[in-house]
C-alpha cells in the first residue's frame, strides 16, 4: 500500500447557503437548505436558533419559526464554486474538487513556495477572504485527503488551520465517531456491534473486515486507521473559450462594432472546434463607454448540422443585440467592450452533416436563417404559445431562434385563463357585439355579484342577429386588484348560435365583445 501523501483540504462551511447568497438571493432571516426533507446546510442565524445539519425539516422549523427553507440545488452549488476553485488554482495549482464547498490539493508545492505548510494555508485563506469575499474558510493539513478533511472540520473560528503531523493520522482519527465515514449502512451496523469510534473500527482485524464488508469496507477501514492511500487527483482546468474585444476609442456605429468582432468570432468558433465542441447557446455582453451594460443569451433553433453557431451567426447576434439596445436605449454611449462566451456547448460529433444530405428541417432552418440575416433579428417571426389569461396574450410572435425568450411562462397557474380546447380564431382586437334578452328586449348585463340580469337570447355581431340556443358562464377574471389604474374585472361566456357557431364572449363594464370563435 502506498504511503499517504501530505494533503491540504479547504472546507467552506455551509457552502450551499453561501452559494445561494452569492447567486443573488437576499438573506432576510434564518436559512436552511433541505434535501430529502433533511437539513444539509444552514446559515449562522439559523444555527443560533438551534438548527443543525441532519435535522428533519419539521424539527428545524420548530426550533426557528422564521426559518426560510430552500430546496437543495447541486447545480447552483457547483456553478458558484467553480470560479472559486479557478482562483485557488492561480496560486496553488492541482486542485481536486471533492464536492462543492470542499477541495483538496497536494501541500508539498505550496509549502515550498510560501515557506511552510501553515504559511501556504494561511496565504490561500487570506486570498479567498480579500479577493473572493469568503471569510470563514477552514483548512486542514494531514497525511491523505480524508484525514485533512477531518482536520479542517476540527478547526475553530480563531484558529482556521489545523495541522496533523506526519505519522499522527491514526491517533488524530481514533476518537472521532464512525459517522464521519459517511456510509449510513456501515455506520448503523457498526453501532449495533458496539463500534462507535474510528479507533475501535481500525482495531478490528483487516481480513475479517474484508470478509464481512468487502473491498469498500476495507477501504473505509484503512481510512479509519489513517492509511489514506488515495492521491489528490487534480482537475483539468476548463479551456478558455471566451473572447473579448475592446474598442479604444469607443465605437458608435453598429456596422463598425460588427466588423470589429469578426476576428474574435472566428477565434471563438476555432477555439471550440479545437476541443471538439460547438456552441448551442451564446452569451453576448456589451459594455458602454459610460458604464452601461447589455447582456443576453442567444439560443440556436436549428437541429442536426444547423444546431450550432458559426462565426457569421455570432457576428449577426452582436449586430442584432446592438440594434435592439439602440431601439430600447440600453446603451447610451459608444461600445467599449464586447465579450462572447458559450452559455451551452455540445459535442461536435452531434452536429456533423448527414452523409446523404440534410433533411427538410435543416433546409428550412438554413433558408430562414439566411432571410433573417438579410432582414434583421425580427425579420422572421414564428408563433408560439405563451402564458396569460387572455387569448391575445397567449399568441406570441418571437424572432426565429429565440424560443420564446421573455414571454410569460406557460407553467404558471394563471387563474381565470381559458381551459383547453382553445378557440381557433382569436379576434385582434375583440369585436364589439350586443347581447339581448328574449324577444329583442333589454340588453343583458352582469351585476356586481356576477349574476345576469336576463338569459342571453340574441347575439348581434357585425349587424347580423343570431339566435343563442345555448350558453354557459360567467367565468369571472379579476386582474391586478392591487393597482387601481390597471385593475380589470370581466366575465367570460361561451354561447352557441342557431347556425351551430360557438363564440367566446366577454362582458366588461356593461359592454360585450367577442374574444374568439370556435371553428
Amino acid at each position: 500500500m502506498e504511503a499517504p501523501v501530505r494533503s491540504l483540504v479547504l472546507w467552506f462551511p455551509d457552502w450551499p447557503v453561501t452559494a445561494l447568497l452569492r447567486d443573488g438571493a437576499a438573506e432576510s432571516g434564518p436559512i436552511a437548505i433541505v434535501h430529502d426533507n433533511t437539513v444539509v446546510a444552514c446559515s449562522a442565524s439559523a444555527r443560533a436558533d438551534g438548527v443543525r445539519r441532519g435535522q428533519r425539516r419539521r424539527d428545524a422549523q420548530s426550533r426557528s419559526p422564521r426559518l426560510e427553507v430552500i430546496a437543495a440545488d447541486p447545480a447552483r452549488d457547483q456553478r458558484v464554486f467553480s470560479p472559486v476553485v479557478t482562483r485557488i488554482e492561480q496560486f496553488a495549482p492541482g486542485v481536486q474538487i471533492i464536492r462543492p464547498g470542499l477541495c483538496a490539493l497536494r501541500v508539498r508545492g505550496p509549502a515550498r513556495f510560501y515557506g511552510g505548510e501553515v504559511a501556504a494555508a494561511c496565504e490561500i485563506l487570506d486570498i479567498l477572504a480579500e479577493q473572493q469575499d469568503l471569510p470563514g474558510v477552514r483548512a486542514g493539513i494531514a497525511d491523505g485527503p480524508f484525514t485533512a478533511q477531518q482536520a479542517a472540520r476540527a478547526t475553530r473560528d480563531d484558529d482556521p488551520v489545523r495541522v496533523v503531523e506526519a505519522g499522527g493520522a491514526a491517533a488524530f482519527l481514533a476518537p472521532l465517531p464512525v459517522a464521519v465515514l459517511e456510509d449510513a449502512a456501515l455506520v448503523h451496523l457498526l453501532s449495533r456491534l458496539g463500534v462507535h469510534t474510528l479507533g475501535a473500527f481500525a482495531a478490528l482485524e483487516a481480513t475479517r473486515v474484508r470478509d464481512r464488508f468487502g473491498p469498500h469496507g476495507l477501504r473505509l477501514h484503512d481510512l479509519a486507521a489513517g492509511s489514506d492511500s488515495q492521491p489528490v487527483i487534480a482537475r483539468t482546468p476548463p479551456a478558455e473559450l471566451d473572447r473579448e474585444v475592446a474598442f479604444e476609442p469607443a465605437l458608435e456605429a453598429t456596422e463598425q462594432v460588427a466588423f470589429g468582432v469578426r476576428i474574435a468570432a472566428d477565434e471563438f468558433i476555432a477555439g471550440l472546434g479545437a476541443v471538439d465542441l460547438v456552441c448551442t447557446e451564446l452569451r453576448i455582453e456589451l459594455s458602454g463607454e459610460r458604464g452601461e451594460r447589455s447582456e443576453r443569451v442567444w439560443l440556436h433553433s436549428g437541429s442536426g448540422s444547423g444546431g450550432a453557431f458559426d462565426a457569421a451567426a455570432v457576428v449577426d447576434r452582436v449586430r442584432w443585440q446592438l440594434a435592439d439596445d439602440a431601439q430600447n436605449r440600453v446603451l447610451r454611449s459608444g461600445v467599449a467592450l464586447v465579450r462572447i462566451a458559450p452559455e451551452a456547448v455540445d459535442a461536435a460529433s452531434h452536429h456533423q452533416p448527414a452523409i446523404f444530405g440534410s433533411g427538410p428541417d435543416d433546409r428550412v432552418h438554413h433558408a430562414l436563417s439566411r432571410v433573417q440575416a438579410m432582414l434583421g433579428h425580427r425579420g422572421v417571426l414564428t408563433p408560439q404559445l405563451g402564458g396569460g389569461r387572455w387569448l391575445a396574450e397567449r399568441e406570441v410572435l418571437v424572432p426565429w431562434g429565440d424560443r420564446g425568450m421573455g414571454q410569460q411562462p406557460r407553467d404558471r397557474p394563471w387563474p381565470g385563463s381559458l381551459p383547453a380546447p382553445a378557440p381557433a380564431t382569436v379576434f385582434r382586437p375583440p369585436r364589439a357585439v350586443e347581447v339581448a334578452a328574449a324577444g329583442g328586449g333589454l340588453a343583458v348585463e352582469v351585476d356586481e355579484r356576477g349574476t345576469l340580469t336576463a338569459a342571453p337570447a340574441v347575439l348581434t355581431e357585425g349587424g347580423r342577429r343570431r339566435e343563442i340556443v345555448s350558453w354557459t358562464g360567467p367565468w369571472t377574471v379579476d386582474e391586478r386588484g392591487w393597482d387601481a389604474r390597471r385593475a380589470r374585472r370581466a366575465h367570460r361566456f361561451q354561447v352557441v348560435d342557431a347556425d351551430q357557431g360557438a363564440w367566446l364572449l366577454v362582458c366588461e363594464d356593461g359592454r360585450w365583445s367577442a374574444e374568439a370563435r370556435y371553428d
Side-chain angles (χ1 to χ4, degrees):
M1 181 182 297
E2 297 182 3
V5 177
R6 295 292 287 176
S7 304
L8 167 63
V9 167
L10 298 174
W11 174 46
F12 299 73
D14 296 309
W15 177 255
V17 176
T18 304
L20 175 69
L21 299 178
R22 291 173 72 89
D23 200 37
E27 184 176 7
S28 57
I31 297 175
I33 306 297
V34 174
H35 174 68
D36 196 18
N37 215 31
T38 302
V39 176
V40 296
C42 59
S43 63
S45 56
R47 192 175 294 105
D49 290 343
V51 179
R52 294 293 182 271
R53 184 172 178 266
Q55 282 181 340
R56 304 297 291 175
R57 172 175 178 170
R58 181 176 298 179
D59 295 337
Q61 290 176 319
S62 66
R63 292 176 180 270
S64 179
R66 300 183 300 114
L67 186 67
E68 182 179 2
V69 177
I70 306 294
D73 187 349
R76 176 189 60 216
D77 300 342
Q78 181 65 47
R79 182 180 68 253
V80 180
F81 191 55
S82 182
V84 177
V85 175
T86 301
R87 188 58 180 166
I88 296 173
E89 289 174 331
Q90 296 177 0
F91 297 90
V95 180
Q96 175 187 359
I97 300 178
I98 301 175
R99 60 174 174 267
L102 190 68
C103 61
L105 61 153
R106 295 189 178 190
V107 76
R108 181 180 179 182
R112 286 182 174 180
F113 185 81
Y114 292 107
E117 295 178 343
V118 176
C122 292
E123 182 69 21
I124 294 174
L125 296 185
D126 291 342
I127 291 171
L128 293 175
E130 295 176 3
Q131 300 185 12
Q132 296 290 314
D133 190 23
L134 285 171
V137 183
R138 312 293 184 86
I141 303 172
D143 294 339
F146 175 76
T147 307
Q149 177 182 342
Q150 306 312 316
R153 293 183 179 276
T155 55
R156 305 187 307 270
D157 291 338
D158 57 346
D159 187 13
V161 180
R162 177 72 180 270
V163 179
V164 179
E165 298 299 332
F172 170 76
L173 295 172
L176 299 182
V178 292
V180 300
L181 296 173
E182 298 183 354
D183 188 312
L186 179 65
V187 169
H188 177 70
L189 182 55
L190 291 177
S191 299
R192 293 179 59 187
L193 296 175
V195 179
H196 300 286
T197 64
L198 295 183
F201 183 38
L204 299 178
E205 189 177 346
T207 55
R208 303 193 65 176
V209 172
R210 181 189 57 204
D211 294 341
R212 178 64 181 84
F213 301 108
H216 178 66
L218 186 60
R219 161 70 180 158
L220 297 181
H221 182 264
D222 291 340
L223 293 182
S227 302
D228 185 5
S229 60
Q230 181 69 36
V232 174
I233 303 174
R235 72 165 188 162
T236 301
E240 294 293 336
L241 303 176
D242 301 357
R243 290 295 183 272
E244 288 187 356
V245 181
F247 299 108
E248 180 62 39
L251 300 181
E252 298 281 352
T254 298
E255 291 303 322
Q256 289 180 328
V257 177
F259 182 80
V261 300
R262 288 183 181 275
I263 296 178
D266 289 332
E267 294 176 348
F268 172 71
I269 298 301
L272 288 166
V275 290
D276 295 326
L277 296 175
V278 295
C279 179
T280 57
E281 296 184 22
L282 175 70
R283 179 180 296 274
I284 296 178
E285 300 175 10
L286 307 175
S287 299
E289 188 178 16
R290 300 175 184 172
E292 312 97 316
R293 190 167 180 271
S294 167
E295 182 177 346
R296 182 169 181 178
V297 175
W298 296 87
L299 308 180
H300 205 286
S301 61
S303 60
S305 62
F309 288 98
D310 56 16
V314 173
V315 175
D316 282 341
R317 267 58 176 188
V318 173
R319 183 186 295 110
W320 297 343
Q321 186 165 332
L322 284 168
D324 288 345
D325 292 344
Q327 182 178 358
N328 298 321
R329 299 187 61 80
V330 177
L331 296 180
R332 300 175 180 270
S333 60
V335 178
L337 180 69
V338 177
R339 181 172 180 267
I340 305 170
E343 183 71 10
V345 296
D346 194 10
S349 59
H350 298 165
H351 297 262
Q352 295 298 326
I355 296 178
F356 298 105
S358 59
D361 290 344
D362 284 344
R363 291 197 296 268
V364 170
H365 162 72
H366 287 305
L368 293 181
S369 296
R370 291 184 62 185
V371 173
Q372 189 180 44
M374 292 185 290
L375 300 181
H377 178 219
R378 300 192 63 84
V380 179
L381 303 177
T382 57
Q384 293 187 8
L385 284 178
R389 297 178 177 86
W390 302 99
L391 296 176
E393 295 176 343
R394 299 186 61 191
E395 289 186 341
V396 183
L397 292 176
V398 300
W400 174 253
D402 274 14
R403 300 181 190 172
M405 293 176 59
Q407 71 181 32
Q408 299 186 99
R410 296 173 55 188
D411 56 354
R412 300 287 175 84
W414 299 115
S417 61
L418 190 70
T425 302
V426 178
F427 301 123
R428 288 175 175 267
R431 295 182 180 178
V433 298
E434 296 179 359
V435 178
L442 298 176
V444 177
E445 297 181 354
V446 183
D447 62 21
E448 295 180 353
R449 303 183 63 180
T451 303
L452 289 172
T453 57
V458 178
L459 168 64
T460 303
E461 182 269 331
R464 179 182 175 184
R465 291 170 55 88
R466 304 171 187 267
E467 180 184 354
I468 297 176
V469 296
S470 63
W471 62 276
T472 184
W475 298 285
T476 303
V477 180
D478 279 310
E479 287 188 308
R480 306 181 185 93
W482 60 88
D483 189 340
R485 292 181 300 176
R486 298 192 302 160
R488 185 178 183 185
R489 180 180 175 85
H491 308 276
R492 272 184 168 140
F493 295 82
Q494 289 175 328
V495 303
V496 178
D497 60 27
D499 298 329
Q500 296 303 304
W503 301 77
L504 180 64
L505 305 182
V506 177
C507 181
E508 183 177 4
D509 296 330
R511 296 185 297 271
W512 287 84
S513 61
E515 184 181 3
R517 183 178 64 228
Y518 293 87
D519 294 334

